[in-house]
Amino acid sequence: MSVRLARDQRGICVDQVAGSADANEAVEISILQQGADTPRILSTFHPKFTYPIFGEEERIFGYQGLHVNLRFAAHDLQPNVEINYEKKFKTIGETKAADIEDTLREWLPPSAFDKATKFNAHIQSDASAKDFRPPGKQVKSYRSKGRDFEIWCGDLKDPAVQRVLQRMQVFVSFFIEGGTPLNLDDQEWTIERWKVFFVYEKLANVPTPTASPYSIVGYSTSYRFYTYVSSAPPTPPSSPPKAIKPRKVHDFTLPPPTLLSPASLPCRERISQFLILPSHQSFGHGTHLYNTMTTLFLSDPTCTEITVEDPNEAFDDLRDYCDYTRLTTTNPLSSITINTTPTLPPTKNPRRRLVPTAQLLPLPTLTTLRHSLKLAPRQFTRLLEMHLLSLIPPSHRASTARLTRKGRAADEYDRAYYYWRLLVKQRIYRRHRDQLLQLERLERIDKLDETVGNLQGDYERLLRGIKGREEAAVERREAEEEGGGEGEGEEKGDLGANGSQSAAQPGEKRERPKRKVVADDEDEDEDEVMLAKRPKT
């Protein structure tokens, strides 16, 4: 470890590393419930990140044997900070130990800094805990490994929702990379656009008659972005142009006689923060939460599209799995295949034959299907590419050596694989055209091939994971039928947030660099750098 020295006003050198503590290790988060004699600890875990609070080095200067215990009541998230240490640095001039309480006051409500004895007494004597209900309304209940869970949804304008969310906003900085806590003092018209989803476990047994049966598992937020909806249906790309008709004129008055609510306007629902606490990850709660949110948005006639704000790779996997599983269950893509016999235009040079890619897929059908599924264009394209790739046997997509005859190959699957790569290349080229045109022609071809290869590998990894989940689900159902109860199989891949922890498939550990900033998945105009490095493109 390198030693960083700082000089105080008298010129004395102070070792700022030897006398500091690792913030990620020093901070411990505990979830508590009312106990028989003292508060009962349900779970403990450490934060994944602390740089938004304690700085880029993620160290707390001036302490040895430091332990910062952030304790939260399991039901209403009432917080408390308890700080203990073995030795504290004595102030020398202007160099002094970090004021931990002062640092945390920006992130926690004032009541969090009450004495530990007062907090413990409140937990133990809170007779109202038994009557606690999560804010909002219950929209889903499910069982996992013999335990009961509920998902509740509320509007952020609800004071009860705000109160619980405010207490747990520090989790955003601890577990969501680059996440920003919501501004609860924002203008009313902005607050009304937010929804908050809470996941709670409903405990079957409580230690005392006055203890709450509810314990927090995770939460997510979504925001309604207004979107313009044309009165005319979208024109499919292959349709012939029609004569422009004059638009209808509607009279209206400003201000309107009745105030418009954001809930009544057409919107794109954007999933913002999404977090399953570490003690509850890898049990399928992320899947249940995402599917519940998606189902609610699909049933909302004012929602035209479901998007995600700055997803990390863990959430990408969760989203791809849930969306793809939903498509294979309802089977809207069953009739979509690649046309392996398109009509090729005549050419004098058969080696430079142009391929009419518009003939390879039924574009009008896909456009209608995407709108009905409320999927963002890029997400729909990824799912479609995964579906089309799954129709090609692995032996026909093992390498590009089978592509020498391209679209003239005798085997239908070889032609399908060639045209699949061509469609993917065309999409990537259109999206990154400005970047690719800066490269020499041969380098541009190599970069496209490398990117398509990486993307295919990522799709195959996801398809293997989806197959593994489906097989595990069948085993769980069989175990439940044979045992007459809950199966013991663990539901893998409970991927958390905009960034919580990813549960990789067996043998497929997926690393990601720390503090990596991911471009907005829905921003079709945003350029992505390192084209061949990142598989999601």
Side-chain angles (χ1 to χ4, degrees):
M1 179 184 295
S2 62
V3 177
R4 186 177 70 237
L5 299 179
R7 291 183 181 272
D8 68 3
Q9 60 185 0
R10 296 178 296 176
I12 299 177
C13 291
V14 179
D15 183 347
Q16 292 190 344
V17 172
S20 64
D22 184 331
N24 292 342
E25 293 296 327
V27 176
E28 184 178 64
I29 300 169
S30 303
I31 305 298
L32 307 179
Q33 181 192 44
Q34 187 179 119
D37 299 311
T38 59
R40 174 189 177 196
I41 299 177
L42 298 180
S43 62
T44 60
F45 44 89
H46 292 276
K48 189 174 180 63
F49 313 106
T50 53
Y51 65 88
I53 299 175
F54 295 107
E56 287 295 320
E57 299 295 328
E58 296 187 320
R59 302 194 69 83
I60 303 173
F61 172 69
Y63 298 90
Q64 291 182 2
L66 178 64
H67 184 216
V68 181
N69 191 1
L70 296 182
R71 305 187 298 166
F72 293 85
H75 61 296
D76 63 0
L77 279 298
Q78 176 68 41
N80 178 255
V81 180
E82 188 178 19
I83 302 173
N84 297 296
Y85 52 86
E86 296 175 359
K87 190 176 180 180
K88 184 176 180 179
F89 175 78
K90 293 183 179 180
T91 301
I92 301 178
E94 294 183 355
T95 304
K96 58 183 178 180
D99 189 335
I100 301 174
E101 279 198 12
D102 187 62
T103 301
L104 291 174
R105 286 186 186 279
E106 182 182 346
W107 308 87
L108 295 168
S111 59
F113 301 94
D114 291 340
K115 295 294 184 181
T117 53
K118 182 178 179 180
F119 176 76
N120 292 343
H122 170 73
I123 293 291
Q124 289 298 105
S125 62
D126 185 10
S128 65
K130 69 178 185 302
D131 300 320
F132 172 84
R133 294 292 180 272
K137 65 177 181 179
Q138 183 181 336
V139 293
K140 170 80 172 180
S141 62
Y142 61 94
R143 289 179 64 83
S144 176
K145 295 183 71 66
R147 296 156 67 180
D148 295 314
F149 299 88
E150 297 176 355
I151 299 177
W152 294 67
C153 174
D155 296 325
L156 190 55
K157 63 182 179 181
D158 182 348
V161 173
Q162 287 195 26
R163 184 163 52 252
V164 174
L165 183 64
Q166 182 188 29
R167 292 171 177 174
M168 63 190 306
Q169 289 234 79
V170 70
F171 291 154
V172 174
S173 301
F174 281 151
F175 297 104
I176 300 180
E177 188 175 7
T180 304
L182 300 187
N183 180 12
L184 301 182
D185 296 325
D186 212 334
Q187 298 186 28
E188 184 178 353
W189 65 270
T190 299
I191 295 293
E192 289 180 353
R193 295 174 182 267
W194 286 98
K195 286 189 182 75
V196 184
F197 295 80
F198 298 102
V199 185
Y200 274 89
E201 178 179 4
K202 191 171 185 180
L203 303 171
N205 300 308
V206 292
T208 67
T210 56
S212 172
Y214 285 99
S215 176
I216 191 68
V217 172
Y219 83 106
S220 182
T221 60
S222 69
Y223 184 79
R224 296 174 61 92
F225 274 93
Y226 172 76
T227 182
Y228 171 75
V229 179
S230 173
S231 58
T235 303
S238 59
S239 300
K242 297 181 179 179
I244 299 177
K245 296 181 179 180
R247 291 184 177 274
K248 295 181 179 179
V249 177
H250 300 277
D251 294 329
F252 62 94
T253 57
L254 289 176
T258 57
L259 293 179
L260 295 176
S261 168
S264 66
L265 300 175
C267 74
R268 300 167 72 216
E269 281 282 1
R270 173 165 292 190
I271 299 173
S272 180
Q273 300 157 334
F274 192 102
L275 173 66
I276 302 298
L277 296 181
S279 54
H280 290 280
Q281 290 176 10
S282 298
F283 293 100
H285 301 301
T287 301
H288 283 291
L289 177 55
Y290 180 84
N291 285 337
T292 300
M293 297 175 70
T294 301
T295 300
L296 194 65
F297 299 152
L298 287 172
S299 64
D300 183 357
T302 66
C303 175
T304 62
E305 192 172 280
I306 304 170
T307 64
V308 178
E309 179 184 0
D310 296 340
N312 67 6
E313 293 179 5
F315 190 89
D316 281 338
D317 282 356
L318 171 68
R319 183 188 187 190
D320 288 340
Y321 164 71
C322 292
D323 288 346
Y324 190 84
T325 302
R326 177 160 52 91
L327 292 187
T328 55
T329 302
T330 57
N331 224 15
L333 295 177
S334 58
S335 62
I336 305 300
T337 59
I338 295 177
N339 177 18
T340 58
T341 57
T343 303
L344 302 178
T347 178
K348 296 180 180 179
N349 183 1
R351 296 177 61 87
R352 299 294 300 275
R353 185 185 296 271
L354 298 177
V355 178
T357 54
Q359 295 183 24
L360 300 180
L361 294 172
L363 299 183
T365 300
L366 293 177
T367 300
T368 303
L369 183 60
R370 184 185 73 80
H371 285 290
S372 66
L373 296 171
K374 300 185 180 181
L375 288 169
R378 189 164 170 234
Q379 177 67 2
F380 178 75
T381 302
R382 277 179 56 81
L383 299 175
L384 175 63
E385 290 171 353
M386 287 175 60
H387 163 71
L388 296 174
L389 183 65
S390 70
L391 301 179
I392 304 172
S395 59
H396 291 264
R397 47 182 158 95
S399 69
T400 57
R402 307 177 67 98
L403 301 180
T404 53
R405 291 186 57 80
K406 301 182 179 180
R408 301 185 300 278
D411 191 283
E412 180 182 3
Y413 289 124
D414 287 344
R415 295 198 304 273
Y417 182 51
Y418 166 72
Y419 287 132
W420 181 87
R421 288 178 58 88
L422 192 65
L423 287 167
V424 177
K425 282 183 180 181
Q426 182 186 58
R427 179 178 67 83
I428 294 174
Y429 180 82
R430 287 175 174 173
R431 180 172 175 80
H432 304 281
R433 183 175 182 275
D434 293 340
Q435 289 174 279
L436 290 168
L437 288 179
Q438 299 176 20
L439 305 177
E440 297 293 334
R441 181 176 179 275
L442 293 179
E443 185 180 0
R444 184 162 63 242
I445 293 174
D446 290 342
K447 186 67 70 175
L448 275 172
D449 282 335
E450 182 182 358
T451 303
V452 172
N454 290 344
L455 189 62
Q456 177 181 329
D458 196 50
Y459 286 163
E460 290 173 338
R461 176 186 64 82
L462 289 167
L463 290 170
R464 287 194 299 271
I466 291 169
K467 183 179 179 182
R469 287 184 174 205
E470 292 174 346
E471 292 173 350
V474 172
E475 292 177 359
R476 281 197 302 275
R477 285 195 295 269
E478 292 176 350
E480 291 174 15
E481 293 173 358
E482 293 176 1
E486 292 290 328
E488 293 301 318
E490 190 173 271
E491 187 171 351
K492 294 291 185 183
D494 181 33
L495 316 174
N498 244 357
S500 68
Q501 189 72 22
S502 168
Q505 296 300 324
E508 294 186 297
K509 186 176 181 181
R510 184 172 179 176
E511 300 287 348
R512 70 182 178 92
K514 190 175 183 182
R515 302 181 198 170
K516 180 176 179 181
V517 178
V518 182
D520 186 350
D521 182 52
E522 315 306 340
D523 192 344
E524 298 295 335
D525 299 322
E526 181 95 11
D527 283 336
E528 291 180 24
V529 296
M530 301 301 290
L531 180 62
K533 298 294 184 181
R534 176 171 170 78
K536 178 152 186 171
T537 188

